[in-house]
Amino acid sequence: FFFQAEDGIRDPLWSRGLGDVYKRQGFYCREGTKTPKLCDEGKHCPLSSSEEKDCPPGYFCKYHSEKGNTIANKRLCTPGFYCPGKTINPIPCETGFYCPEGTILQIPCPSGTKGTGQPFPSNVTTSCSMCPPGTYSLSQDGLATNCLTCLPGYVCVYNTSTATPMDPKKDGGFNCPKGFYCPEGSYAPTPCPIG
């Protein structure tokens, strides 16, 4: 048994009226209306909606074609992009950050790494690379875009996460030990000359 609406759309479900026929995802019907309204971009309309809802964080809500019909429903934010909420078009992840699928805000590359500028696939391994020996990086304000030269008096072994490393395990470097000297960019201490 099918119910036929005014525009010829058939719905195989029992209906209490024409408004129920149209209560599908991507459309909404206010109480007592006969004609469905397409959800606006930046909004989404779950199945049986009587009103639009803001597109939730981690999703984007943009018109697209599905089986020849234009609909607006929410889709999970694509890897390499972030969707803070009420998003129509996903926002590209910037260098120094990574954005896995469903990201609400860009995630900064951790200290000791730098952004690779490679957004896909977007994860800490592909979008952030470890700083080489003799360098360090700080993820302050989410900007770990460059590895900086290790300061004089310190040794930056590998993946160094501070300008003044003290603990090799925690910081990836250490303070220059007695009997050695450590010029700028040191990744190993140099013994002091005898005499």
Side-chain angles (χ1 to χ4, degrees):
F1 188 79
F2 290 92
F3 288 94
Q4 184 152 349
E6 293 167 346
D7 67 354
I9 294 174
R10 292 175 186 261
D11 196 323
L13 302 174
W14 288 97
S15 174
R16 293 186 306 266
L18 288 174
D20 282 354
V21 173
Y22 291 105
K23 288 185 176 179
R24 296 189 180 107
Q25 187 171 333
F27 295 88
Y28 68 100
C29 287
R30 294 202 191 279
E31 197 64 41
T33 60
K34 293 182 181 180
T35 308
K37 253 189 118 177
L38 180 64
C39 242
D40 289 329
E41 289 189 312
K43 305 277 186 178
H44 81 105
C45 299
L47 197 60
S48 297
S49 292
S50 59
E51 62 184 33
E52 298 178 300
K53 298 181 184 325
D54 286 336
C55 194
Y59 291 85
F60 66 101
C61 300
K62 181 182 176 105
Y63 292 143
H64 68 282
S65 181
E66 191 172 285
K67 297 181 184 174
N69 298 313
T70 299
I71 63 170
N73 61 1
K74 68 179 184 177
R75 292 187 278 175
L76 197 57
C77 202
T78 314
F81 296 85
Y82 66 103
C83 301
K86 301 180 187 177
T87 304
I88 295 171
N89 294 308
I91 303 163
C93 207
E94 299 171 31
T95 299
F97 297 88
Y98 63 102
C99 300
E101 184 177 52
T103 298
I104 296 169
L105 296 171
Q106 301 180 95
I107 303 165
C109 287
S111 292
T113 67
K114 66 174 182 167
T116 63
Q118 181 181 339
F120 305 104
S122 192
N123 58 50
V124 73
T125 306
T126 58
S127 297
C128 310
S129 66
M130 292 185 184
C131 286
T135 67
Y136 71 96
S137 79
L138 301 172
S139 184
Q140 292 179 324
D141 303 322
L143 295 175
T145 55
N146 295 313
C147 294
L148 307 169
T149 304
C150 193
L151 299 177
Y154 294 93
V155 177
C156 298
V157 181
Y158 188 69
N159 197 33
T160 306
S161 58
T162 177
T164 55
M166 300 304 269
D167 182 345
K169 289 181 183 177
K170 181 180 156 219
D171 303 328
F174 51 92
N175 196 359
C176 196
K178 279 187 175 183
F180 294 84
Y181 68 100
C182 303
E184 182 179 68
S186 292
Y187 55 88
T190 304
C192 289
I194 299 173

